């Protein structure tokens, strides 16, 4: 597993930006069993960012970037190296998964209001076509009696699917909650024809659960109307994502049984042979 974090642990190799004047704010821990498969990108790493990449399991020529990011208060969002990392991943058609401590508040990801930094981040995500993978509006930070949603999981369109995204409130010893999710590796589709069957009852149950999960612990729970185009686009992306994942869960796929020519001939022989062909009548 790859963990983006700002702490260290045993049996992990820690990737950070070395030789900086100030202590790094972002690091990535990689478990020893996959360390040899990871590439560290120094040019995409600084005090506030750490970036590694892993080969795609199905396409050896494709890489997925994993980034740990911190957006400091004293810096404009667009000036952070994260902007360059997003552009690089998109320009090379590479996947990107970012775990970010944004210090940005926006109603798009569940806060009561949007501050200036939140609007800056909204613009960046929209310009670079980046998705917010948070599936609930539960707070990710709490201290001194205050709560907020500032920790985001971000992906671009080429990234693997993020599944089972959840906040574990009682695990972290920090004022930031522990965020856990799984990365879904897409398997190569078979060329054999398939039959798909959709369980619509399951579809209804799963979609209802996903939508209720998004509303869980949402701070602005009473507001049901989008107040700007950014919110419309964000809510639409969330709904499309929930619909797509629900359809996958509710669909059963089985392979069609295709018979070879030899099998068809044997079957005909067992049934007494093919029907006799009638000779066409001669025209007079």
């Amino acid at each position: 597993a790859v963990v983006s974090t700002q702490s260290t642990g045993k049996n992990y190799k820690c990737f950070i930006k070395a030789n900086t004047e100030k202590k790094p704010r972002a690091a990535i821990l990689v478990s020893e069993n996959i360390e040899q498969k990871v590439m560290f990108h120094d040019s995409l790493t600084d005090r506030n960012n750490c970036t590694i990449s892993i080969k795609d399991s199905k396409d050896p020529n494709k890489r997925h970037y994993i980034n740990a990011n911190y957006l400091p208060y004293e810096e404009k969002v667009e000036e952070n190296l994260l902007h360059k990392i997003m552009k690089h991943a998109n320009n090379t058609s590479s996947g990107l998964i970012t775990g970010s401590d944004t210090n940005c508040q926006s109603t798009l990801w569940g806060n009561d209001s949007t501050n200036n930094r939140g609007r800056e981040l909204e613009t960046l995500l929209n310009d670079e076509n980046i998705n917010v993978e948070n599936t609930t509006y539960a707070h990710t930070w709490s201290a001194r009696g205050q709560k907020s949603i500032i920790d985001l999981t971000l992906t671009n369109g080429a990234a693997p699917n993020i599944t089972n995204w959840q906040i574990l409130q009682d695990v972290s010893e920090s004022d930031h909650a522990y965020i856990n999710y799984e990365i879904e590796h897409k398997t190569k589709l078979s060329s054999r024809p398939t039959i798909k069957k959709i369980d619509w009852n399951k579809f209804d149950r799963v979609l209802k659960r996903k939508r209720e999960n998004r509303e869980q612990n949402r701070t602005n729970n009473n507001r049901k109307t989008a107040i700007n185009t950014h919110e419309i686009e964000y809510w639409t992306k969330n709904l499309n994502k929930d619909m797509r994942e629900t359809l996958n869960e509710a669909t059963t796929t089985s392979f069609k049984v295709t018979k070879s020519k030899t099998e068809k001939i044997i079957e005909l022989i067992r049934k007494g042979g093919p029907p006799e062909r009638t000779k066409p009548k001669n025209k007079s």
Side-chain angles (χ1 to χ4, degrees), residues 31-57:
S31 56
E32 293 178 345
N33 61 326
I34 65 167
E35 179 186 336
Q36 301 302 321
K37 301 178 182 179
V38 170
M39 179 183 295
F40 175 70
H41 296 272
D42 187 73
S43 63
L44 300 178
T45 298
D46 62 6
R47 185 190 182 201
N48 298 316
N49 288 273
C50 181
T51 307
I52 63 172
S53 68
I54 301 178
K55 282 186 178 181
D56 184 277
S57 59

Side-chain angles (χ1 to χ4, degrees), residues 8 27 30 76 82 88 110 146 199 242 245 259-260 264 275 280:
T8 59
V30 178
K76 285 188 172 294
L82 178 62
H88 175 77
Q146 297 181 336
D199 184 340
D242 288 345
E245 291 180 353
K259 298 178 180 178
S260 65
K264 291 178 180 179

